[in-house]
Amino acid sequence: MPSLLFTPLRLRGVSFKNRIGVAPMCQYSCHDGLASNWHLVHLGSRAVGGAGMVMVEASAVSAAGRISPADLGIWSDAHAAALAPIAQFVAEQGAVPAIQLAHAGRKGSTQVPWQGRQAVPSEQGGWPVRAPSAVAFNDAYPLPGEMTESNITQVVDDFAAAAQRSRAIGMQVVELHMGHGYLMHQFLSPLSNQRTDAYGGSFDARVRAPLRVVAAVREAWPQELPLFVRLSATDWLEGGWDVAQSVELARRMKALGVDLVDCSSGSIVPGSQGQAEPGYQVPFADQIRREADIATAAVGLITRADQAEAILQRGQADMVLLARELLRDPYWPLRAAAQLDEEAGWPVQYLRAVSATAKS
């Protein structure tokens, strides 16, 4: 049986040469939000390594939407111009260039992970943060101001403008970050959204802002190009966001033009993570795919070629996105192809290295 992992996938007018995607992974390596040589080499090497899609890390749609002062951004034409060589190089390697658009909300103005994740004071480059409700993520994070309807409309506009800039530089996929405790997830989850107006309380109210973002981006993003959304499919906590709500949201997003749901989980409040083990989030991709009738991507501790292939063969997802495994081995797709007896598509510059040892 032919490998599904190396069978092309078509979404709208874009063809992915295989079903392996590089998940967006924050590098916390920017100055003023601008991409650098680090990003070109980091992302370019994964394209050379054979992935079908290479997704740029969470890119803030405004300066206030960053997680840390070292985050990547796409809130101006200058930021887009810094990303343009990356999109071009990724496409030249036969991979689909993609970008994740994001706003951190109450998780913004914090230190980079290796410094400890405390709030960054204004004198060190920090900024005021806003969220659906004036509730901090934890005692070490900034206390956010509650967003007004005008603030919400500005964020919607910022996402749409970021999508337009992404297209102008050659990105072929935009993903909206609605998981991991960032702003759109903060609206979705009852654990973070304590509003009593049109944007909080009922399910319909809590999904209002995220659906406004989807509609605005779909209008700004070319119809021939696919739109992805990353969801935290569950908060893992009673009274929080759950898979049933994710299924219903996915149905509504599909009606607005979303093509694929990237299924992660957790991180809305401290301790809201599941028990991490190989494939622990795959059932979310499976359920959303079946019940919402939408393409999905599976993520989370997918490390082996046979594991990724089995997910696709069982019909649990349409793509697999790898993160840490591709940090360990940028050439994982080439090795996986050899292990599954598929044509790897090695760069011609590397053909002298191709041998049976590629399977090891």
Side-chain angles (χ1 to χ4, degrees):
M1 182 180 297
S3 163
L4 280 181
L5 193 61
F6 289 92
T7 299
L9 172 67
R10 190 168 188 85
L11 294 172
R12 294 192 185 243
V14 174
S15 181
F16 303 80
K17 66 181 179 181
N18 58 48
R19 311 293 183 98
I20 303 166
V22 179
M25 294 176 279
C26 290
Q27 299 296 291
Y28 304 103
S29 300
C30 294
H31 179 69
D32 291 335
L34 295 166
S36 66
N37 288 338
W38 173 267
H39 298 89
L40 176 61
V41 174
H42 163 66
L43 295 164
S45 64
R46 273 83 196 162
V48 170
M53 179 184 73
V54 176
M55 189 173 290
V56 176
E57 67 196 75
S59 301
V61 299
S62 66
R66 293 170 294 167
I67 305 166
S68 79
D71 273 31
L72 189 62
I74 190 167
W75 64 82
S76 76
D77 291 345
H79 291 87
L83 285 162
I86 296 171
Q88 179 180 345
F89 184 83
V90 167
E92 287 171 351
Q93 311 315 308
V96 172
I99 186 168
Q100 185 185 70
L101 306 181
H103 192 297
R106 69 179 188 176
K107 280 189 161 183
S109 193
T110 56
Q111 295 172 324
V112 299
W114 48 85
Q115 291 180 345
R117 282 294 203 203
Q118 303 287 313
V120 176
S122 58
E123 61 270 20
Q124 296 178 21
W127 57 91
V129 300
R130 294 186 183 274
S133 301
V135 180
F137 176 73
N138 64 22
D139 292 341
Y141 276 53
L143 177 65
E146 181 170 302
M147 296 178 74
T148 65
E149 184 153 2
S150 176
N151 298 148
I152 294 169
T153 296
Q154 184 62 60
V155 167
V156 172
D157 292 344
D158 289 342
F159 270 95
Q164 290 174 327
R165 293 188 191 100
S166 298
R167 178 53 188 153
I169 61 172
M171 294 295 176
Q172 296 178 40
V173 172
V174 152
E175 176 172 274
L176 307 177
H177 200 347
M178 296 191 178
H180 297 175
Y182 299 122
L183 182 61
M184 290 299 108
H185 187 188
Q186 291 162 28
F187 274 101
L188 294 174
S189 176
L191 301 178
S192 51
N193 185 345
Q194 299 179 11
R195 300 175 74 99
T196 57
D197 64 358
Y199 292 93
S202 69
F203 173 85
D204 287 343
R206 286 183 282 108
V207 302
R208 190 181 307 275
L211 289 179
R212 284 187 63 187
V213 170
V214 168
V217 170
R218 184 71 272 181
E219 183 177 357
W221 187 240
Q223 287 300 307
E224 68 272 16
L225 298 180
L227 175 61
F228 291 10
V229 170
R230 169 161 278 193
L231 283 182
S232 278
T234 179
D235 289 339
W236 298 103
L237 294 171
E238 186 176 352
W241 183 258
D242 58 28
V243 186
Q245 294 176 88
S246 291
V247 168
E248 178 57 27
L249 177 59
R251 291 191 185 110
R252 298 188 189 193
M253 293 193 302
K254 180 182 178 181
L256 291 174
V258 170
D259 301 287
L260 179 144
V261 178
D262 172 5
C263 301
S264 189
S265 68
S267 298
I268 190 62
V269 295
S272 56
Q273 285 88 26
Q275 183 63 46
E277 57 187 17
Y280 73 110
Q281 296 176 144
V282 173
F284 307 138
D286 184 14
Q287 185 174 347
I288 291 171
R289 186 176 189 266
R290 287 184 289 103
E291 296 184 11
D293 190 27
I294 191 169
T296 61
V299 303
L301 295 184
I302 299 171
T303 60
R304 305 188 321 274
D306 61 341
Q307 177 194 15
E309 179 68 22
I311 290 167
L312 300 177
Q313 291 287 353
R314 289 193 295 261
Q316 295 176 294
D318 299 273
M319 296 183 74
V320 294
L321 303 187
L322 280 68
R324 290 175 176 84
E325 189 63 19
L326 283 172
L327 293 182
R328 290 185 282 265
D329 181 5
Y331 304 101
W332 186 92
L334 299 177
R335 193 180 304 279
Q339 292 169 348
L340 296 172
D341 293 321
E342 293 288 339
E343 289 294 326
W346 283 70
V348 293
Q349 298 93 330
Y350 288 4
L351 286 177
R352 74 191 76 175
V354 178
S355 68
T357 59
K359 296 185 179 184
S360 62

